[in-house]
Amino acid sequence: MKGNKVVLSILHLLNDNRFYSVEYLAKQLNCSRTAITKALNTIKNLGINISNIPEKGYRCHDSFVWLNRDVIFQYHSLISKSYNLMIFDIIESTNKFLLNYPKEKQSCNAYVPVVTSEIQTYGRGRGGRLWYSGVGTNLAFSLRWRFDQGIYVLSGLSLVIGLAIVRTMRSLTNLEFNLKWPNDILFDNHKLAGVLIELRGNAIGPSFAVIGIGINFNLHESFTHAIDQKVTDLSTITGAKLNRNLVLSALLLELQIVLTQFHTCGFIPFKDEWIKCHAFHGKDVNLIMQDGSVIEGTVDGVNDDGSICLFTATGKNSYHIGDISLRLKPDNK
Ligand code: BTN
């Protein structure tokens, strides 16, 4: 049994507030005592509250909240009719799973496939980066939406998804979340969540979008120090442990609303609200292109197709979604 799987299996076993010895766990899970001890250390390092009494063994004081289909549907019963929700313990990538999902199983958006998993072993991020999602630290899920048109009409989609996340986070916490073009979700200039959209189809359609969302819930310190970006998580922001089932349920409800509207009206109805949420609106920025070249400019909103407008030395220019990243210059207030 691989490391992550041992961690998950122990957490399942320890979910009843009773004591378990290392020997017992090793026997139950059919692995070595060393593997059990290593997994127990990983669990402690995740910030999960477990104690060890030498004669009795280990006990977990936190009741670990698993992703649970019934609970997710209980929060908003309507979504049980709109989504085909699949929950895994471990998966390589929820986006990859839905890219390979058989086309014949989705002829319309009446029962939209959604996949979530406790762990992704190879979560995909933008620009070919990896997206880290360990046990209980993250909410990682993807859904697949079908469009009759070709992929050329889908520009602006990723901005709309970012907006749906901001709306949901604001209504769940009453706090001020923002966006960074095209679709990072920020709190106080720290990244809370990311969106990766992978499109398939052709110019005349039909086409489909696999919309992958990763939200940080409870990141480990070693991780936040290891990456070259300011990141945050919902535990830090709210000072509480938000239930991932509740957040997923609320997000699925909002996504259903925005995707239905986007499907018929495109990005335009969302544009003004999106600009109001943009943390970089009116700021001087560096826009880093795929080839590493940098464009300096001042952000002047976004266009009807979701591309960003910059005032630059050569005039007002627009830049489209791609492998572009936007960075605040250090002297920006
Ligand atoms: C980013 O780099 O900002 C986008 C990260 C998107 C990560 C999510 S997690 C769920 C889904 N499955 C993946 O493999 N990636 C996306």
Side-chain angles (χ1 to χ4, degrees):
M1 205 187 276
K2 289 240 175 80
N4 280 330
K5 191 85 192 160
V6 180
V7 168
L8 282 172
S9 306
I10 293 179
L11 282 171
H12 274 298
L13 282 169
L14 260 60
N15 226 16
D16 59 2
N17 207 23
R18 286 163 55 184
F19 284 98
Y20 289 92
S21 68
V22 170
E23 290 72 21
Y24 177 86
L25 293 170
K27 210 166 170 189
Q28 283 295 308
L29 303 180
N30 196 21
C31 56
S32 70
R33 288 168 52 179
T34 316
I36 297 292
T37 310
K38 207 170 145 198
L40 286 164
N41 282 331
T42 307
I43 291 170
K44 276 189 216 154
N45 290 336
L46 287 169
I48 294 168
N49 191 3
I50 53 172
S51 62
N52 175 19
I53 296 184
E55 308 80 55
K56 291 183 163 178
Y58 285 84
R59 181 162 77 152
C60 183
H61 301 272
D62 292 334
S63 52
F64 187 79
V65 180
W66 297 95
L67 291 165
N68 182 303
R69 195 187 154 78
D70 295 339
V71 178
I72 292 165
F73 289 155
Q74 258 163 32
Y75 284 116
H76 297 290
S77 55
L78 265 183
I79 61 172
S80 64
K81 295 183 179 63
S82 337
Y83 288 107
N84 172 15
L85 175 62
M86 296 165 258
I87 301 182
F88 291 88
D89 269 353
I90 298 191
I91 201 169
E92 189 179 324
S93 150
T94 54
N95 263 34
K96 187 175 175 190
F97 180 89
L98 283 185
L99 284 168
N100 295 328
Y101 194 70
K103 271 201 202 106
E104 16 348 315
K105 289 198 179 175
Q106 192 187 10
S107 57
C108 62
N109 292 312
Y111 198 47
V112 173
V114 184
V115 179
T116 183
S117 179
E118 294 291 353
I119 293 179
Q120 286 187 115
T121 53
Y122 204 79
R124 303 175 182 194
R126 289 182 58 225
R129 287 183 290 270
L130 274 180
W131 181 264
Y132 171 81
S133 41
V135 194
T137 62
N138 201 271
L139 172 64
F141 71 101
S142 305
L143 60 92
R144 195 166 100 160
W145 194 270
R146 188 187 184 281
F147 293 89
D148 298 326
Q149 309 97 314
I151 50 178
Y152 69 96
V153 295
L154 305 185
S155 60
L157 175 62
S158 69
L159 281 75
V160 167
I161 300 302
L163 191 60
I165 301 171
V166 164
R167 283 183 184 174
T168 308
M169 290 305 158
R170 286 181 177 182
S171 82
L172 286 174
T173 65
N174 277 325
L175 294 169
E176 194 62 9
F177 293 86
N178 291 104
L179 290 159
K180 185 184 91 162
W181 185 86
N183 56 22
D184 280 354
I185 289 78
L186 306 182
F187 182 82
D188 197 17
N189 274 324
H190 289 62
K191 179 163 170 170
L192 170 75
V195 178
L196 176 70
I197 299 190
E198 300 188 72
L199 303 174
R200 293 290 184 273
N202 55 42
I204 52 160
S207 55
F208 66 85
V210 170
I211 301 164
I213 298 175
I215 301 177
N216 301 325
F217 265 71
N218 190 16
L219 290 175
H220 192 249
E221 255 177 47
S222 60
F223 173 75
T224 47
H225 290 144
I227 54 169
D228 61 345
Q229 201 178 12
K230 291 197 277 182
V231 288
T232 190
D233 58 42
L234 281 173
S235 302
T236 310
I237 295 169
T238 62
K241 284 205 171 132
L242 279 188
N243 184 329
R244 288 178 304 151
N245 293 304
L246 166 65
V247 175
L248 179 55
S249 185
L251 277 167
L252 289 176
L253 192 66
E254 187 63 39
L255 285 165
Q256 175 82 26
I257 294 167
V258 298
L259 280 164
T260 305
Q261 194 179 359
F262 178 84
H263 197 115
T264 44
C265 311
F267 176 60
I268 296 171
F270 301 96
K271 190 172 127 179
D272 290 348
E273 185 186 351
W274 194 96
I275 292 172
K276 281 200 193 112
C277 294
H278 193 202
F280 293 73
H281 187 62
K283 304 267 184 192
D284 295 338
V285 293
N286 288 333
L287 192 59
I288 303 156
M289 312 301 284
Q290 249 178 330
D291 62 2
S293 61
V294 177
I295 290 161
E296 289 194 4
T298 307
V299 178
D300 182 40
V302 287
N303 297 306
D304 292 353
D305 63 0
S307 57
I308 191 163
C309 277
L310 292 187
F311 284 119
T312 69
T314 62
K316 193 167 165 175
N317 294 321
S318 300
Y319 301 90
H320 289 265
I321 294 174
D323 285 333
I324 297 172
S325 62
L326 192 61
R327 299 251 169 225
L328 265 183
K329 291 207 288 195
D331 53 347
N332 259 322
K333 297 267 156 36

